[in-house]
Amino acid sequence: MELIVLLKQVPSTESFVGVSEDGKSVKLGDAKLVVNPYDEFAVEEALKIKEAKGGSVTIISVGSDKAVEAIRTGLAMGADKGILINDPAANNCDGLQTARILATVIKSMPYDLIIAGQRAVDDDNYVVGSAVAEFLNIPSITMVVKETIADGKITCEKTVEGGTVTVESPLPALITTQRGLNEPRYASLPGIMKAKKKPLETKKLQDIGLDAAGMGSQKTKVISFKLPAERKGGKIISGETDADKVKALVKALQEEAKVI
Amino acid sequence: MSCGVLAITEQVDGVFRKVTYEALSEGRRIADGLGCALSVAVLGSGIKGSAEALGKYGAEKIFVADDPALKEFMTDAYTNVIAGIAAKEKPRMIILGASFRGKELAARLAARLAAPIAMDCTAVRLDGGKAIATRPIYGGKILADVELDGEPQVVAIRPNFMSIAEVQKAGAIEDAAIDLGKIDLRFVEKKLETGKVELTEADVIVSGGRGMGGPDFSVIEKLAEVLRGAVGASRSAVDEGWRPHSDQVGQTGKVVSPNLYVACGISGAIQHLAGMSSSKVIVAVNKDPEAPIFAKADYGIVGNLFDVVPLITEEIKKAKGL
Ligand SMILES: Cc1cc2nc3c(=O)[nH]c(=O)nc-3n(C[C@H](O)[C@H](O)[C@H](O)COP(=O)(O)OP(=O)(O)OC[C@H]3O[C@@H](n4cnc5c(N)ncnc54)[C@H](O)[C@@H]3O)c2cc1C
Ligand SMILES: Nc1ncnc2c1ncn2[C@@H]1O[C@H](COP(=O)(O)O)[C@@H](O)[C@H]1O
């Protein structure tokens, strides 16, 4: 099985993120950069499939110099090689453009299964995985919590509201990860040492034969960022006894907040 | 520039999900702002009868694709049929719910149509004929205003967030051409809990965290029951194995927007807040007065949840005359 993982580096979810004064950019400060948590599930699942069926795992990322570290993390977990597309022209892409770049790289490679995260926890876009599949003209199944591969087919249990749906697809296919799929392993010390010697290619857009026209225009543009209205909060209900506090709470929910 | 807004319905076993009406209502508001017509695409099997009622939510035209192959939502067949309708009608905007199914459909459709897309929007406004969508990013820490350049603009709205308005319009039924196209996906089965309120649609959610101390969530379940709400959980409670993954609220769980969210024994970590801070009213019960959840809660009670929550249940029963 030739397995491909789409991996993005993102600020860790604990990071403080702010907005620049003019509202035109996001301020990350010294946010810790990590592998997108949903892409960790993707690496883990690819490794499990490789362990069961043989083959190799290739990580592909579109990102800056710093993203090398995220790819190395995936290699240290056990992936075989990495490809980083690092090009200033790819910096401000929308989801479809990023997907176009990834699909272009993948087209020149053999693959049976592509695994992406359901979303990147920075842009929360939920677009790139499905769009890569569309551009490659292969089926996609999102939000997968369980998969089995047999006879050239993948059968996936995926999350929907109120439960799960099981869907079968021929390979090659693309799936996206949902929490519950697996528990990502930590990179071991020998794993980290080995990762340093694993192949990691860095390419520009022209190296993959993509120019501005091939990427398409940016159709989805963020024009401003703002912080959400601060929740006022902090109203602690006082009272002699729990019963007093609860009475006051229920009264407030009925008369002030009007939610019950 | 073309006109017209096309809403997409979402059905399970022939019953429209609530987000269908939210998408129609928001679609109606936008269509009015643009001076355009609102139409709606209904896909399913044996769905024509229920489709007729959608005129009540502002649809001038109802395109029905009624086919046994469309009984279950399958991304490829649905994308193919809707892309066909879009090619013919050339809507300026396609609006649908950002549910699990809707997100998958919206992304695939946008890629197919080379269309701008705004996922999980909490507001859409018109600025000189241009649509600007607001969407939470970084787990809700930031709101981005997104301009959609080109047509059709694919807008997926956050479920349970936008209001439903009934506006009777013609609701003329028209059979849509059904070209199923290339189909790879095969439906195997679905396992849906019946009789349980789904978290992302619930008006009220009562959640428990590590403070529950174990898998016995009965005090929470009883409160949820009198409020006709759903039960949620923090990741810690899920990691402990006390609750299923599907109950998890937060950055790596579900994003919910109920009218009332009651957090019990939950400290209020940033990843939990990412999933519930767009709730209209938040109540926190925690024994630690310094718990960060209190800074986000509209009402807080400092106390032991095993004492406080049953009292709330009783008090609400009294208030509701139960
Ligand atoms: C990448 C990543 C993603 C994550 N995603 C999520 C997510 O989606 N959802 C999520 O919830 N978390 C998520 N987390 C975890 C998050 O950081 C917190 O660890 C978690 O939310 C804490 O859960 P908790 O509030 O239940 O537990 P704790 O933080 O341990 O808090 C328990 C609280 O219960 C109170 N308490 C104890 N006993 C009682 C009692 N008898 N009565 C009243 N109060 C009591 C305590 O005072 C305390 O405030 C994520 C973390 C990471 C790193
Ligand atoms: N720059 C990128 N490089 C590699 N993979 C990406 C990139 N952006 C998004 N992805 C993949 O697409 C998934 C969904 O991202 P998004 O659509 O941005 O929320 C992520 O979890 C990754 O698997």
Side-chain angles (χ1 to χ4, degrees), chain B:
Chain B
M1 200 185 279
S2 53
C3 208
V5 174
L6 177 68
I8 313 281
T9 58
E10 180 172 336
Q11 53 86 24
V12 176
D13 295 331
V15 178
F16 294 120
R17 296 195 61 245
K18 187 176 165 202
V19 75
T20 294
Y21 305 111
E22 294 162 6
L24 269 164
S25 302
E26 188 63 17
R28 181 71 257 168
R29 280 188 282 269
I30 295 164
D32 285 343
L34 292 167
C36 285
L38 173 69
S39 51
V40 58
V42 182
L43 280 68
S45 175
I47 194 84
K48 205 164 176 177
S50 0
E52 284 168 7
L54 296 177
K56 202 164 94 189
Y57 297 91
E60 268 114 3
K61 214 182 246 178
I62 303 170
F63 297 107
V64 183
D66 201 328
D67 192 289
L70 299 173
K71 179 174 185 322
E72 301 293 340
F73 169 85
M74 289 286 111
T75 325
D76 48 6
Y78 271 57
T79 305
N80 295 345
V81 171
I82 294 167
I85 296 175
K88 188 154 162 274
E89 299 305 320
K90 302 199 169 41
R92 175 176 182 150
M93 182 183 286
I94 297 178
I95 187 163
L96 72 170
S99 59
F100 287 109
R101 295 178 185 87
K103 282 182 191 129
E104 190 170 28
L105 177 62
R108 199 90 206 194
L109 201 56
R112 173 81 51 90
L113 303 173
I117 174 167
M119 197 68 97
D120 205 24
C121 304
T122 52
V124 186
R125 66 171 203 273
L126 293 167
D127 184 0
K130 254 193 251 163
I132 312 268
T134 303
R135 47 184 307 269
I137 57 174
Y138 290 90
K141 288 179 217 169
I142 292 180
L143 298 175
D145 272 356
V146 180
E147 189 182 296
L148 300 174
D149 198 6
E151 290 177 7
Q153 298 152 358
V154 178
V155 172
I157 58 166
R158 174 170 287 193
N160 224 9
F161 204 85
M162 294 181 178
S163 55
I164 296 173
E166 291 188 16
V167 189
Q168 185 70 49
K169 294 278 175 182
I173 297 260
E174 191 174 309
D175 289 320
I178 302 172
D179 181 2
L180 294 172
K182 174 172 175 267
I183 296 184
D184 292 308
L185 301 177
R186 192 177 71 80
F187 173 80
V188 179
E189 63 168 340
K190 62 176 186 275
K191 290 185 222 149
L192 301 180
E193 288 155 354
T194 46
K196 197 175 146 183
V197 188
E198 159 59 28
L199 276 181
T200 52
E201 287 182 357
D203 285 330
V204 176
I205 295 173
V206 186
S207 284
R210 193 187 295 284
M212 297 304 297
D216 182 0
F217 267 50
S218 56
V219 292
I220 301 260
E221 282 158 359
K222 283 184 187 135
L223 177 56
E225 197 186 312
V226 298
L227 290 167
R228 295 191 199 201
V231 174
S234 73
R235 171 152 159 190
S236 299
V238 171
D239 284 349
E240 293 290 342
W242 301 340
R243 303 296 296 181
H245 286 306
S246 55
D247 280 2
Q248 185 181 319
V249 172
Q251 184 134 22
T252 46
K254 286 178 179 160
V255 176
V256 299
S257 314
N259 281 325
L260 174 61
Y261 188 91
V262 188
C264 309
I266 292 178
S267 60
I270 194 150
Q271 296 93 350
H272 190 78
L273 299 175
M276 44 65 86
S277 60
S278 64
S279 306
K280 272 136 229 146
V281 174
I282 297 173
V283 171
V285 180
N286 197 303
K287 66 179 184 191
D288 173 10
E290 304 296 323
I293 187 79
F294 286 125
K296 300 290 168 189
D298 299 278
Y299 303 102
I301 291 189
V302 178
N304 184 336
L305 75 91
F306 294 101
D307 299 328
V308 175
V309 176
L311 287 171
I312 302 178
T313 307
E314 284 314 308
E315 192 63 26
I316 288 175
K317 270 193 191 164
K318 258 194 263 165
K320 287 192 162 186
L322 295 171

Side-chain angles (χ1 to χ4, degrees), chain A residues 60-164:
Chain A
I60 310 178
S61 188
V62 178
S64 67
D65 299 340
K66 291 183 188 145
V68 166
E69 204 184 316
I71 298 177
R72 290 266 180 234
T73 305
L75 296 175
M77 286 169 75
D80 299 285
K81 66 177 206 182
I83 301 173
L84 172 66
I85 308 301
N86 182 356
D87 193 310
N91 269 349
N92 260 320
C93 284
D94 65 18
L96 292 190
Q97 290 176 307
T98 304
R100 185 63 77 186
I101 296 170
L102 290 165
T104 305
V105 178
I106 296 168
K107 259 185 198 143
S108 66
M109 304 168 52
Y111 62 91
D112 299 296
L113 181 68
I114 305 169
I115 314 183
Q118 56 165 265
R119 70 177 198 269
V121 301
D122 51 357
D123 63 18
D124 287 328
N125 213 7
Y126 301 87
V127 165
V128 173
S130 299
V132 166
E134 177 65 31
F135 294 151
L136 293 170
N137 200 15
I138 59 170
S140 54
I141 305 175
T142 63
M143 304 277 171
V144 172
V145 288
K146 191 171 170 223
E147 55 77 23
T148 40
I149 296 174
D151 308 325
K153 288 189 189 127
I154 186 165
T155 305
C156 297
E157 198 173 316
K158 54 177 287 195
T159 306
V160 295
E161 283 80 6
T164 60

